[in-house]
Amino acid sequence: MAAELPQNGGYLIAAYIVTPVILVGYLVSLWRRVKRAGH
Amino acid sequence: MTGAEAGGRAVARRGLRISLTALVALAGVYILVLGYTPVEAKQGLAQKIFYLHVPAAWCALLAFSLVGVASLLYLWLHDARLDRFAAASAEVGVAFAAVMLTTGPIWAKPIWGTWWTWDARLTLTLFLFFLFIGYLALRAAVHDPGERARFSAVVGILGMLLVPFIHLSVYLFRTLHPQPIVLKPSAPSLPPEMLRTLLISFVVFTTLYVGLVSLRYGLSLVQEAAEEARDGG
């Protein structure tokens, strides 16, 4: 009989939310700094 | 707006376009990971975190290595473009390191039973992260451009020296962290479907690194042009 898969999908969802939050957040902050610079 | 400032904004816009393209491709990686790549039998769905964690780690270590190379070249050639690139790569590297240091513990909790352990790989990586936070703080604190470039170049080179220790730490020390599966002397030890997805994710993350560094480099050009215009006027 095949072994049961561990039930840990919640951790996958957490990692797949945290990653774009950090990267998109950084991208937005960079672009806002470009917009503000020189004004 | 001066010509230099307009040039900087054009570089930043190009960086923004590359970054947005990479983020759309990242959504494609999500579809690939969740819809097509098989589930690993022992670790379950949590294993799929590795398609984000490993490329983020690659980009962070690449970024910090390039800071060191650019810093070495700066001390030799005194070219401001090298200092500007080092500053951009360091900041982007810290963002990727933040992804690496959050997705790693999220994977570790269900697999190791703990969020964190003070083994060599994890501790050295955290130390490298703090070192580059210090690098950015140093750059913000020193106002003379020549001094800022020289001081931060020394810190950047010291940071680069840590990178090979981090990569080899799983061989040099007893550690819980898995050994390399792609960047190792023998062939990659992954089923083809998993390897294909991982390599696509590597390309997407590296493209995002290029886009973010271009955007950050353009920001430096705009800030420098604005400062020069203020000092001149």
Side-chain angles (χ1 to χ4, degrees), chain B:
Chain B
M1 190 189 296
T2 63
E5 191 181 330
R9 288 189 190 279
V11 172
R13 270 196 300 275
R14 196 178 314 138
L16 179 68
R17 276 198 297 273
I18 296 170
S19 303
L20 290 175
T21 306
L23 286 172
V24 171
L26 184 62
V29 169
Y30 276 32
I31 294 169
L32 205 56
V33 168
L34 301 174
Y36 299 99
T37 311
V39 180
E40 207 269 338
K42 282 186 193 149
Q43 296 190 14
L45 285 169
Q47 181 272 337
K48 290 178 183 247
I49 293 171
F50 125 119
Y51 298 108
L52 300 181
H53 175 74
V54 177
W58 150 255
C59 282
L61 297 184
L62 172 74
F64 295 147
S65 302
L66 291 178
V67 172
V69 172
S71 300
L72 268 173
L73 289 172
Y74 174 81
L75 291 180
W76 181 28
L77 301 169
H78 298 285
D79 186 332
R81 287 175 298 184
L82 292 163
D83 175 56
R84 220 177 279 132
F85 171 79
S89 190
E91 200 179 285
V92 174
V94 165
F96 280 110
V99 173
M100 164 176 62
L101 287 167
T102 47
T103 54
I106 293 173
W107 171 84
K109 180 62 181 166
I111 305 303
W112 292 345
T114 179
W115 296 101
W116 186 264
T117 174
W118 293 103
D119 87 344
R121 167 66 72 90
L122 279 70
T123 308
L124 282 173
T125 307
L126 188 65
F127 183 67
L128 184 72
F129 178 70
F130 287 145
L131 194 146
F132 275 95
I133 297 270
Y135 174 96
L136 296 177
L138 173 70
R139 292 195 70 93
V142 181
H143 294 290
D144 179 74
E147 280 192 345
R148 180 175 58 212
R150 262 185 294 124
F151 294 167
S152 55
V154 174
V155 179
I157 292 164
L158 293 174
M160 175 183 68
L161 295 180
L162 264 181
V163 172
F165 282 103
I166 290 173
H167 184 66
L168 296 174
S169 57
V170 287
Y171 300 114
L172 297 173
F173 305 99
R174 284 161 61 93
T175 167
L176 272 177
H177 195 282
Q179 301 223 335
I181 44 163
V182 178
L183 292 174
K184 58 176 188 166
S186 54
S189 45
L190 265 185
E193 304 91 340
M194 290 185 175
L195 183 62
R196 201 177 307 128
T197 303
L198 181 65
L199 292 179
I200 291 170
S201 190
F202 267 118
V203 171
V204 169
F205 270 76
T206 308
T207 307
L208 185 57
Y209 165 77
V210 172
L212 290 173
V213 167
S214 304
L215 179 49
R216 180 63 185 77
Y217 189 96
L219 171 63
S220 291
L221 288 174
V222 173
Q223 286 171 333
E224 285 169 24
E227 271 170 33
E228 269 175 34
R230 255 199 311 273
D231 295 345

